[in-house]
Amino acid sequence: MARNVTEKLIASHLVDGTLTPGDEIAMTVDQTLTQDATGTMVMLELEALGLDRIRTDLSVQYVDHNLLQTDEKNPDDHVFLQSAAQRFGLWYSKAGNGVSHPVHQAHFGKPGATLIGSDSHTCAAGALGMLAIGVGGLEVAMAMAGQPLYVTMPEVWGIELTGELPDWVSAKDVVLEMLRRHGVKGGVGRVIEYHGPGLAGLTAMDRHVIANMGAELGATTSVFPADEAARAYLEAVGRGDDFTRLVADDEASYDITEHIDLSDLEPLIARPSSPGNVVPVADVADEEVYQVVVGSSANPGLRDFAVVAEILNNRQTHPRVSVDINPTSREVLADLVSGGWLSSLVASGARVHQSGCLGCIGMGQAPASGRNSLRTMPRNFPGRSGTEEDSVWLCSPETAAAAALTGRITDPRTLADSHGISYPRPEMPESFSTFDAMLLAPLPEDQAREVELIKGPNISSLPDFDPLPDTVELPVLLVMDDDVSTDEIMPAGSRVLPYRSNIPRISDFCFERIDATYPRRAQQQQGGHAVIGGENYGQGSSREHAVVAPRYLGLRVVIATSFARIHWQNLANFGILPLEFADPADHDAVNQDDVLVLDGLHEALKNGSELTATIGERQVRLRHRLSDRQVQMVIAGGRIPMTAQMA
Ligand code: MIC
């Protein structure tokens, strides 16, 4: 039977289920990645599971998010993570080495393999023909313990690419075009597979850009074939031997089909404050700009910095604008030095920062209130930058460089006339720098057993998770609208991230952006509570703190019109029951402080997907999409207590 790349990847790792969209399937996991902001919880989970040594082919712990060291908390986390990596047998990428996704691709990316990561942008590795899925930390911990990954079998959405990108239009504009067409919910329940003759003009790093922001579309992941571009990339990072060709069969088909003619694309930009608010740059030209940030997992390739450097070469950045350059990794930094690009950036007035996620996650680089900040980053949810009234736009490196020069949002295609700049096509080196000094290999097993986990005073153990009662009577503490992101449920940023390994403390910040009284009101309820969401509830990151912290405060049930994939799975993993309104109109009839009553819950959950609840005075029909395994898990109180019961 003819298969597309996604089906080949899934079929070769399938241990349970069939390739029928909507069914739960289980797959073996070859590799995992964790980053520091989610990794501390994962390591605590490994400890709670009593794991001796990881069972994946390889697992890597990166430190790229919590890089500010304003007190002992973040560095204590780094020390803890290094000790845990040594204890359990992981690779360890030290603070400052670089952003996890591109570093992972360069050192470990392997066509045909599966990768899961406790970061929603793990999907970027689809660029090399991997099946790479962002998930909650507990899924990663379980995979390291040798368990398969459970996901809902997605539909495969074939995007045929034809044509060639015009001058001043680059890979970021391709994924912004996807977001312009489909918005932040467009990819839910789907894998996006790119194919067609247009692929020939896209390098592996261009594909990484496109695959990365599949997360913004809500997709399970994005997949590219492993073809000549993947081979060229692997050779350039000195790992040509890891190349295996993986392409769709000639007769392969897709559940959904669509076409993009790359030649028709123009520079695009996502307006504040959602990656889905995409418009042509030309439509918003002339808005004043105060900050331009180049870097992050969304535009991490050497080319993405070099193109900015060539536009700024022998020119000055606009006096009003702070131009911040966050080189993806020390390897990219070294190549920027040897290509002469770093000097152009420095001479133009750009501020060069260390390698890491930095302002993308509000770890510094907060913009001034209400002032436009243009970023080559993947997300701009409200307040994520660290500034309460922020105004963050997402764009390509070309559009970022144009604004850096002019101080205004500028269609980069106009630079030819206004500044006499012809479109730079920076020549990439034959081989990219690769450094191992800050990427520490796992310790041999006998030495690993001797390692003690080093926990600073801010690192607390996981709370206990009690079973879900058969009858619940829960006040509704929040009623929310559509597209609530995890940044609104559990903020990131330099104030909050240092508490990622301290659930009691981080719970004080829950839903802060929506209703700062929530933690106090939640703690006043003895018997737990519920919250209500709209469509696409929990979009964005994979952070399981957005479920563990509210669970710690007593959250037992979330009813939404629909859920984002990772958050839905995280809720079930931690024993919070995710239910959907059978009739979306019922969402509007619920009021804060109504009481939700669910009776005979265990049988109802086991017997099918429909349930009836009383909310306030009304009977409301609800449904769930949990598999039998997940029902059992939610009733047990989550995956950790269920695993303990089975041991
Ligand atoms: C993000 O981009 O939102 C993050 C920060 O990388 C998150 C992970 C986290 O919250 O630590 C993600 O994408 O999953």
Side-chain angles (χ1 to χ4, degrees):
M1 196 183 99
R3 286 197 158 141
N4 54 48
V5 178
T6 309
E7 289 165 344
K8 288 185 183 188
L9 284 162
I10 294 177
S12 59
H13 291 84
L14 197 67
V15 287
D16 201 10
T18 62
L19 306 195
T20 314
D23 285 2
E24 187 175 79
I25 54 169
M27 284 181 289
T28 51
V29 176
D30 301 323
Q31 305 184 355
T32 69
L33 73 77
T34 40
Q35 41 90 339
D36 48 333
T38 53
T40 48
M41 286 278 289
V42 177
M43 297 306 144
L44 292 170
E45 286 155 6
L46 290 184
E47 187 189 27
L49 292 168
L51 186 79
D52 192 31
R53 192 166 177 93
I54 56 156
R55 311 228 168 106
T56 43
D57 291 352
L58 70 92
S59 291
V60 190
Q61 171 62 52
Y62 294 89
V63 178
D64 56 2
H65 280 65
N66 286 2
L67 297 182
L68 286 184
Q69 297 180 206
T70 54
D71 64 17
E72 74 293 344
K73 295 186 198 67
N74 291 343
D76 278 357
D77 276 357
H78 304 168
V79 171
F80 168 61
L81 288 169
Q82 183 160 2
S83 71
Q86 290 178 331
R87 172 66 193 89
F88 298 122
L90 286 80
W91 289 81
Y92 180 69
S93 176
K94 290 173 69 178
N97 192 38
V99 175
S100 65
H101 311 297
V103 174
H104 196 89
Q105 175 163 309
H107 289 266
F108 306 108
K110 206 171 172 191
T114 51
L115 163 72
I116 65 170
S118 58
D119 189 285
S120 62
H121 293 114
T122 303
C123 48
L128 283 192
M130 297 180 79
L131 190 78
I133 304 184
V135 291
L138 189 52
E139 299 289 344
V140 180
M142 289 296 177
M144 284 196 248
Q147 298 284 315
L149 170 73
Y150 294 92
V151 280
T152 308
M153 176 63 200
E155 293 178 309
V156 186
W157 186 9
I159 307 284
E160 189 195 18
L161 301 177
T162 57
E164 264 178 55
L165 288 172
D167 286 357
W168 301 102
V169 179
S170 62
K172 183 67 155 282
D173 297 304
V174 179
V175 70
L176 288 174
E177 170 66 9
M178 288 290 287
L179 282 153
R180 190 188 67 78
R181 293 187 187 187
H182 302 288
V184 290
K185 306 184 255 296
V188 175
R190 298 176 176 182
V191 170
I192 310 173
E193 181 169 326
Y194 294 89
H195 65 104
L199 283 179
L202 298 175
T203 65
M205 284 317 289
D206 292 336
R207 298 172 186 198
H208 189 102
V209 172
I210 298 169
N212 172 289
M213 280 184 71
E216 277 50 61
L217 283 142
T220 303
T221 188
S222 299
V223 165
F224 284 84
D227 56 12
E228 286 315 300
R231 183 205 297 275
Y233 173 84
L234 285 168
E235 280 170 1
V237 293
R239 292 196 300 113
D241 288 351
D242 280 339
F243 176 73
T244 352
R245 196 174 153 76
L246 182 66
V247 296
D249 293 329
D250 286 344
E251 304 300 314
S253 61
Y254 300 91
D255 298 310
I256 307 126
T257 55
E258 193 171 337
H259 170 233
I260 296 181
D261 184 345
L262 298 173
S263 330
D264 287 346
L265 297 186
E266 62 179 313
L268 295 171
I269 193 163
R271 304 173 62 108
S273 291
S274 164
N277 290 346
V278 178
V279 294
V281 176
D283 286 7
V284 287
D286 284 341
E287 292 248 13
E288 276 189 3
V289 172
Y290 288 78
Q291 185 189 44
V292 167
V293 192
V294 179
S296 89
S297 66
N299 272 110
L302 175 63
R303 178 253 165 226
D304 293 336
F305 296 89
V307 86
V308 174
E310 295 201 1
I311 294 170
L312 297 181
N313 188 31
N314 291 327
R315 297 185 175 85
Q316 288 301 293
T317 55
H318 190 277
R320 182 175 51 234
V321 184
S322 168
V323 179
D324 293 63
I325 306 286
N326 303 345
T328 315
S329 60
R330 290 174 344 107
E331 291 154 344
V332 166
L333 187 56
D335 289 339
L336 285 172
V337 172
S338 45
W341 292 299
L342 194 69
S343 328
S344 309
L345 290 168
V346 170
S348 74
R351 302 164 67 179
V352 181
H353 299 263
Q354 67 170 311
S355 299
C357 305
L358 312 184
C360 180
I361 187 58
M363 266 284 162
Q365 304 180 325
S369 315
R371 309 285 170 146
N372 290 325
S373 171
L374 261 60
R375 300 175 165 207
T376 64
M377 295 171 170
R379 295 198 168 135
N380 58 348
F381 296 125
R384 178 177 160 98
S385 64
T387 296
E388 195 53 34
E389 296 299 321
D390 62 6
S391 181
V392 175
W393 306 63
L394 308 172
C395 64
S396 71
E398 288 83 346
T399 303
L405 267 187
T406 64
R408 292 180 180 274
I409 297 184
T410 302
D411 184 330
R413 292 172 300 183
T414 62
L415 291 181
D417 283 346
S418 63
H419 289 71
I421 306 177
S422 43
Y423 185 48
R425 293 194 181 271
E427 199 177 318
M428 291 295 102
E430 214 162 275
S431 54
F432 293 117
S433 293
T434 47
F435 301 145
D436 294 332
M438 285 171 78
L439 191 54
L440 311 181
L443 282 186
E445 233 170 305
D446 53 333
Q447 288 175 33
R449 292 224 165 85
E450 303 301 313
V451 175
E452 297 279 341
L453 298 185
I454 307 173
K455 291 187 191 165
N458 182 46
I459 301 179
S460 72
S461 302
L462 286 174
D464 287 334
F465 300 104
D466 57 335
L468 182 70
D470 192 39
T471 301
V472 294
E473 215 174 300
L474 307 167
V476 171
L477 293 194
L478 293 172
V479 179
M480 293 168 273
D481 288 334
D482 293 348
D483 294 322
V484 166
S485 75
T486 52
D487 279 315
E488 286 147 294
I489 302 173
M490 173 51 73
S494 57
R495 255 176 350 115
V496 184
L497 283 176
Y499 298 108
R500 282 287 179 96
S501 35
N502 186 339
I503 294 299
R505 182 68 184 81
I506 207 170
S507 66
D508 292 343
F509 299 94
C510 266
F511 292 106
E512 185 188 56
R513 299 195 55 78
I514 291 175
D515 181 345
T517 66
Y518 167 85
R520 185 178 41 78
R521 290 189 293 123
Q523 265 159 335
Q524 284 163 358
Q525 306 299 330
Q526 292 307 315
H529 64 273
V531 301
I532 308 290
E535 275 187 44
N536 199 27
Y537 179 73
Q539 69 163 329
S541 83
S542 66
R543 67 190 67 140
E544 51 192 2
H545 305 77
V547 306
V548 182
R551 170 79 206 268
Y552 172 78
L553 294 175
L555 180 63
R556 299 312 306 240
V557 177
V558 181
I559 309 175
T561 314
S562 66
F563 288 92
R565 174 184 61 89
I566 308 180
H567 191 67
W568 173 79
Q569 201 157 22
N570 283 343
L571 287 167
N573 278 346
F574 285 95
I576 301 175
L577 178 61
L579 297 172
E580 288 166 13
F581 291 105
D583 177 359
D586 281 331
H587 169 272
D588 299 342
V590 184
N591 295 308
Q592 188 162 312
D593 296 331
D594 279 353
V595 174
L596 162 75
V597 182
L598 284 156
D599 231 345
L601 191 49
H602 295 182
E603 278 314 301
L605 288 171
K606 287 180 195 156
N607 286 345
S609 59
E610 299 270 335
L611 295 88
T612 306
T614 313
I615 309 183
E617 304 292 304
R618 307 172 66 244
Q619 296 278 98
V620 178
R621 277 186 314 113
L622 303 170
R623 49 169 189 246
H624 73 81
R625 286 187 294 109
L626 302 169
S627 65
D628 294 347
R629 179 191 68 89
Q630 287 172 311
V631 166
Q632 194 194 344
M633 185 169 85
V634 171
I635 292 175
R639 197 157 172 186
I640 295 176
M642 183 173 81
T643 310
Q645 273 174 16
M646 285 158 71

